[in-house]
Amino acid sequence: MSESAISCKVLLVEDIESEAALVIKHLRRVSGWRFVVEHCDRLVPALERAREESFDVVLLDLNLPDGAGIEVCQRMHQAAPHTPVIVLTNQTSVELGTKALREGAQDYLIKREVDGPLLGRAIRYAIERARADRALRSSEQRYALAVAGANDGVWDWNIREEEVYFSPRWKAILGYAEGEITEQISEWFERVDHRDRERFEDALNQHLEGHAGYFECEYRMNSKNDEVRWVSTRGLAVRDETGAALRMAGSMTDITRRKQTEARLLHEAMHDALTGLPNRILFMDRLDLALRRFRRDPAKLFAVLYFDLDRFKHVNDSLGHAVGDELLAQVGGRLLGCLRPGDTLARLGGDEFAIVLNDIDGPTDAVYVVERLHEALAQEFEIESHTLYTSASIGIAVSSEIYRTPDELLRDADIAMYRAKNSGHATYAVFDTYMHDQAMFQHRMETDLRRALEKDEFEIYYQPIVAIESERILGFEALLRWHHPSRGLVMPEEFIGIVEDTSLVVPIGWWVIERACHQLAKWQRMFPVEPSLAMSINVSGKLFLTDDMAKRLAALLEDCGLEPNTIRLEITERVVMDHGDLVLSTLSDLRELGVELDIDDFGTGYSSLSYLQRFRYDTLKIDRSFVQSMSDKIDSSAIVEAIITLGGTLGMKVVAEGVETSDQVQRLRAMRCPAAQGFWFSRPMQKDAVNEYLRVGSAMSSVRH
Ligand code: C2E
Ligand code: MG
Ligand code: MG
């Protein structure tokens, strides 16, 4: 026997001496192995030895004096569960041999057929199989431990046999106890939530048919108490040689908590915290969806409504942000109440809301909804013991082939909203091509305006302001003109609005102030009169929002050598109403500086009287619409007279604007209106014409005096 032979300890249990000897003889013949055989002829001592000693293999006769039949095998297996057992039988008891295999024996041999090679092979296989079994068992244990630790459910689906094993944890995830779920695959599939069923089946089939390397799906399951659980399932199929799946096994993890967190985060990212409504991101997404639907099927018309609350800033400024916030939240609630479930209402920011109105037949439907919205908003709001009223300006854009992106639709609804706002409160406007052209025009103007300052295209015209009684020139109003390279002379009403919506408002505003001041200084030197000539300058509200306005103006006046009280800044009522406290503080600084402050276009703004109480102004300029309709059927003489009286009572000067006829002059004189301005006296003039006008005027007055 060679040195390198494998050593193997054998326990031979055989009561018939001759047969035992035969086996031992055979074993000696097995090449490459060295067997150390211990022989027992009774079961009980053999069991004892098997417990004490670790044998590599047991050769076991099932017919012993102290034990017979399958029981012998069972007892040996109990005594040495990890030692492979090979059963030795007689030809007559083959059936017993196969039973023994079920009881844990590795193999059985028929004694008469046994020879050296057969025995050697049987022993070798038995030992190897026992070792593999041990390895598998420990790996299974490891796996079971890992699964228990991960808290995952396990399933094992025998596709051929139509049987599934569901682990206790698998059942527990769905709220079931061990005995409550059978081994049918329907127990699983029928609990998949209907919303996810298609996706689930797709993923499963992809893997079963071999298109996906593994099965993985996150989906909802209906649990025992009708709750929805989110689970993540992974699995892998075992296939036959043709590739058909025979069996599939995997895990199921409860991901409900994660999904809830994800859903919450997603909701927060897509919604406005104050109103709980969708935010701009979600709104654009819905709008995109509607636009795609429309492009697939142009019969599916929809509209975008763009809202802006009228004078919301005023609520915020006067009652505080908490009230403002509450108002926005309540407005959101009311609007939502007017819509159908398929529509989307969003808060885009500030006091702006927008709606995607789905499935409409045309613009009329949208207008109908808008009227309902206006009605809903018109009801009073009760907030912290305040009773508030609000309204909205609404722009409407209806889907059409011209729109390629959601932004374009929203832009046009926005343009329509501005149009609505300009025509008053609680109004709406439907976007049309005219507005589009208008918007394009504005855009071009804006571009042109940006170059106008550099290219020196602006000029100031001056219109005299005259004392009615003496016809003496008191001063001028500076009026801006624009020499557009292709459009010729452009009047301020066509471009001032655009300027005010851009950052140009500050540089252009100061350009006018500086020019007008320098010009006035020249005229005061050329034509010294008592009191000095004055200059009225129109100032945009935005300028009052810059905090250095008074300082900058003081420096300019110093530079020009002008008395502050010869400068009159004209502001419209609307400016002060819109900007509240910030404007008021700049106004105080200006008053301290000593410049005069005039209210322009008086009578056309809102709540004029309360506004006169808030701040002291020097002059009221009566809007020309009142002056000009004095002789009309709708006689405004009473209003003009009332304004003149009001001015007098409050110690303010009064200037009537737009005086065109001698009849108007007569009436104003009769009403004791001190000053006027209008074409009757002079149109606005270029500075050279003014020079001439002043020269003639001073010559006339020197003749008169
Ligand atoms: P406003 O301040 O009320 O100026 C008076 C407007 O009435 C001027 O129009 C003037 O030409 C016009 N006007 C004067 N007398 C008569 C008359 O007898 N009949 C008629 N029908 N109109 C008369 P303009 O120059 O077109 O200016 C329009 C408005 O543009 C001004 O109204 C003012 O609000 C604004 N504006 C003009 N220049 C400036 C400026 O430099 N800055 C700002 N922010 N606004 C300006
Ligand atoms: Mg003016
Ligand atoms: Mg005016």
Side-chain angles (χ1 to χ4, degrees):
M1 207 158 282
S2 72
E3 281 296 301
S4 61
I6 303 162
S7 166
C8 182
K9 271 165 74 183
V10 180
L11 177 63
L12 173 63
V13 190
E14 172 63 74
D15 58 325
I16 302 168
E17 200 60 40
S18 61
E19 297 201 335
L22 192 64
V23 168
I24 291 168
K25 201 173 104 193
H26 287 320
L27 287 176
R28 291 224 178 89
R29 296 222 181 103
V30 179
S31 63
W33 292 69
R34 195 169 59 84
F35 292 99
V36 180
V37 182
E38 187 172 328
H39 175 216
C40 289
D41 58 1
R42 294 287 182 281
L43 179 62
V44 175
L47 293 175
E48 206 157 302
R49 287 302 293 141
R51 260 182 228 116
E52 291 165 4
E53 191 80 39
S54 138
F55 290 95
D56 293 310
V57 66
V58 179
L59 301 178
L60 183 65
D61 179 19
L62 293 189
N63 204 1
L64 298 165
D66 55 350
I70 195 69
E71 179 215 10
V72 172
C73 191
Q74 288 166 344
R75 286 174 71 186
M76 180 54 76
H77 190 62
Q78 272 169 15
H82 301 305
T83 310
V85 174
I86 297 172
V87 167
L88 302 170
T89 67
N90 293 312
Q91 185 110 47
T92 49
S93 52
V94 170
E95 203 186 320
L96 192 61
T98 51
K99 260 195 206 155
L101 291 184
R102 250 176 269 143
E103 286 307 321
Q106 289 288 355
D107 203 354
Y108 73 92
L109 299 173
I110 296 162
K111 287 182 196 171
R112 272 212 315 170
E113 293 173 357
V114 166
D115 61 9
L118 180 65
L119 197 56
R121 216 166 33 242
I123 289 175
R124 204 165 59 240
Y125 287 161
I127 292 173
E128 277 167 14
R129 217 175 302 133
R131 203 175 286 148
D133 278 355
R134 259 202 310 280
L136 183 65
R137 251 195 314 279
S138 76
S139 112
E140 270 175 356
Q141 272 168 359
R142 247 194 326 268
Y143 183 65
L145 266 175
V147 163
N151 213 12
D152 284 347
V154 169
W155 51 274
D156 181 354
W157 177 21
N158 190 327
I159 299 170
R160 287 269 162 92
E161 309 281 323
E162 296 183 1
E163 260 178 27
V164 207
Y165 164 76
F166 299 114
S167 74
R169 171 66 190 147
W170 192 99
K171 297 169 189 171
I173 288 175
L174 301 179
Y176 290 97
E178 184 55 26
E180 289 183 303
I181 285 200
T182 68
E183 298 189 337
Q184 303 288 309
I185 193 69
S186 58
E187 298 271 16
W188 177 2
F189 293 173
E190 279 172 12
R191 286 190 174 84
V192 174
D193 193 276
H194 66 276
R195 289 168 290 188
D196 298 329
R197 202 163 282 175
E198 198 178 318
R199 204 163 46 79
F200 173 84
E201 283 170 5
D202 271 359
L204 187 65
N205 290 333
Q206 283 287 313
H207 178 57
L208 286 177
E209 288 161 16
H211 307 304
Y214 53 89
F215 164 56
E216 182 169 34
C217 188
E218 290 188 352
Y219 57 98
R220 282 161 284 196
M221 295 267 279
N222 297 315
S223 76
K224 185 178 174 186
N225 48 10
D226 274 336
E227 270 174 20
V228 167
R229 309 293 312 171
W230 269 99
V231 296
S232 163
T233 292
R234 286 180 67 104
L236 200 62
V238 177
R239 298 169 194 281
D240 66 11
E241 56 283 355
T242 69
L246 300 173
R247 185 176 160 182
M248 190 169 163
S251 63
M252 180 168 90
T253 316
D254 186 348
I255 54 167
T256 310
R257 280 262 282 286
R258 193 192 90 204
K259 282 287 178 186
Q260 284 166 346
T261 312
E262 275 173 14
R264 206 191 63 237
L265 291 176
L266 194 68
H267 184 90
E268 280 169 13
M270 298 283 207
H271 289 78
D272 164 48
L274 179 65
T275 58
L277 294 173
N279 63 12
R280 184 180 286 268
I281 299 169
L282 185 53
F283 181 79
M284 293 313 275
D285 196 59
R286 297 274 169 85
L287 189 50
D288 190 47
L289 217 68
L291 191 59
R292 281 169 202 272
R293 227 163 56 108
F294 170 74
R295 295 179 100 193
R296 274 198 307 275
D297 179 3
K300 291 205 160 59
L301 283 181
F302 68 95
V304 178
L305 311 186
Y306 201 119
F307 276 68
D308 186 278
L309 293 189
D310 299 320
R311 313 216 310 113
F312 174 72
K313 223 184 118 23
H314 185 63
V315 173
N316 250 355
D317 288 348
S318 54
L319 300 175
H321 286 273
V323 174
D325 284 357
E326 181 56 25
L327 179 61
L328 288 174
Q330 289 196 18
V331 164
R334 282 223 191 141
L335 297 178
L336 207 55
C338 300
L339 301 177
R340 291 165 305 175
D343 303 328
T344 300
L345 166 68
R347 177 169 172 236
L348 301 186
D351 58 347
E352 292 186 353
F353 293 85
I355 294 174
V356 180
L357 216 55
N358 279 311
D359 297 320
I360 56 166
D361 290 332
T364 339
D365 275 2
V367 168
Y368 176 69
V369 173
V370 163
E371 279 166 358
R372 236 173 30 212
L373 295 171
H374 275 321
E375 262 168 47
L377 290 183
Q379 311 298 315
E380 60 191 30
F381 290 85
E382 294 291 342
I383 297 167
E384 290 180 10
S385 78
H386 300 285
T387 302
L388 301 181
Y389 292 90
T390 190
S391 61
S393 306
I394 306 178
I396 306 169
V398 181
S399 53
S400 110
E401 302 77 53
I402 63 164
Y403 293 116
R404 276 160 305 133
T405 66
D407 297 285
E408 293 173 352
L409 261 156
L410 194 63
R411 177 203 63 200
D412 286 356
D414 189 15
I415 291 171
M417 186 276 284
Y418 267 99
R419 174 58 57 95
K421 198 156 219 100
N422 284 336
S423 56
H425 290 174
T427 51
Y428 66 85
V430 183
F431 183 84
D432 56 25
T433 48
Y434 170 75
M435 277 185 217
H436 179 76
D437 296 345
Q438 194 74 8
M440 292 304 288
F441 169 74
Q442 289 219 352
H443 179 71
R444 255 198 318 275
M445 288 277 273
E446 197 180 315
T447 325
D448 291 350
L449 273 167
R450 291 192 184 279
R451 280 194 312 259
L453 257 187
E454 292 161 32
K455 299 206 162 168
D456 206 21
E457 291 169 2
F458 290 120
E459 186 184 358
I460 299 179
Y461 278 46
Y462 300 92
Q463 185 177 36
I465 297 172
V466 177
I468 293 186
E469 209 45 60
S470 63
E471 297 206 1
R472 247 174 51 109
I473 303 162
L474 302 171
F476 300 89
E477 175 170 6
L479 295 163
L480 190 58
R481 301 287 181 267
W482 178 19
H483 296 282
H484 190 276
S486 58
R487 302 182 51 224
L489 191 68
V490 184
M491 303 302 273
E493 247 130 30
E494 279 188 65
F495 66 88
I496 284 291
I498 302 173
V499 169
E500 288 187 341
D501 282 344
T502 66
S503 58
L504 291 166
V505 64
V506 175
I508 293 180
W510 278 103
W511 184 89
V512 173
I513 296 173
E514 282 164 10
R515 278 292 166 101
C517 285
H518 281 111
Q519 190 58 58
L520 178 65
K522 271 187 208 157
W523 286 331
Q524 284 184 357
R525 280 196 297 277
M526 285 163 69
F527 307 99
V529 283
E530 197 51 49
S532 303
L533 290 172
M535 184 66 79
S536 301
I537 306 170
N538 296 287
V539 181
S540 153
K542 299 270 171 64
L543 240 57
F544 293 97
L545 291 173
T546 55
D547 49 13
D548 63 342
M549 182 179 183
K551 237 192 248 157
R552 188 167 168 183
L553 188 60
L556 175 66
L557 297 181
E558 175 89 35
D559 193 32
C560 300
L562 282 174
E563 285 301 321
N565 66 359
T566 58
I567 294 299
R568 293 172 190 165
L569 301 183
E570 295 195 356
I571 4 173
T572 55
E573 290 180 87
R574 203 177 287 203
V575 169
V576 180
M577 291 307 299
D578 284 355
H579 297 290
D581 297 342
L582 258 163
V583 170
L584 282 177
S585 99
T586 305
L587 291 180
S588 307
D589 293 348
L590 291 167
R591 172 154 297 291
E592 204 149 301
L593 172 63
V595 298
E596 295 201 352
L597 299 166
D598 296 3
I599 302 177
D600 204 352
D601 305 341
F602 186 76
T604 57
Y606 307 97
S607 39
S608 308
L609 295 176
S610 70
Y611 158 64
L612 285 181
Q613 273 185 331
R614 273 182 99 183
F615 200 81
R616 211 178 70 69
Y617 292 89
D618 301 283
T619 304
L620 280 182
K621 295 189 80 171
I622 309 174
D623 192 69
R624 69 167 179 264
S625 57
F626 299 115
V627 174
Q628 292 176 349
S629 53
M630 282 195 301
S631 44
D632 285 0
K633 280 207 193 86
I634 349 151
D635 186 0
S636 59
S637 305
I639 297 175
V640 174
E641 191 158 15
I643 297 175
I644 295 167
T645 312
L646 179 70
T649 315
L650 294 172
M652 295 167 79
K653 288 173 264 189
V654 176
V655 177
E657 293 186 293
V659 180
E660 292 182 352
T661 64
S662 71
D663 176 54
Q664 286 161 357
V665 178
Q666 297 305 323
R667 285 167 188 263
L668 288 168
R669 187 175 286 142
M671 292 174 191
R672 303 194 167 279
C673 180
Q677 166 185 359
F679 297 168
W680 173 258
F681 303 101
S682 168
R683 289 190 174 256
M685 296 173 279
Q686 285 166 292
K687 65 175 194 296
D688 294 340
V690 174
N691 283 334
E692 194 53 34
Y693 180 86
L694 281 172
R695 202 167 297 130
V696 174
S698 61
M700 295 264 290
S701 72
S702 55
V703 169
R704 267 196 218 138
H705 289 265

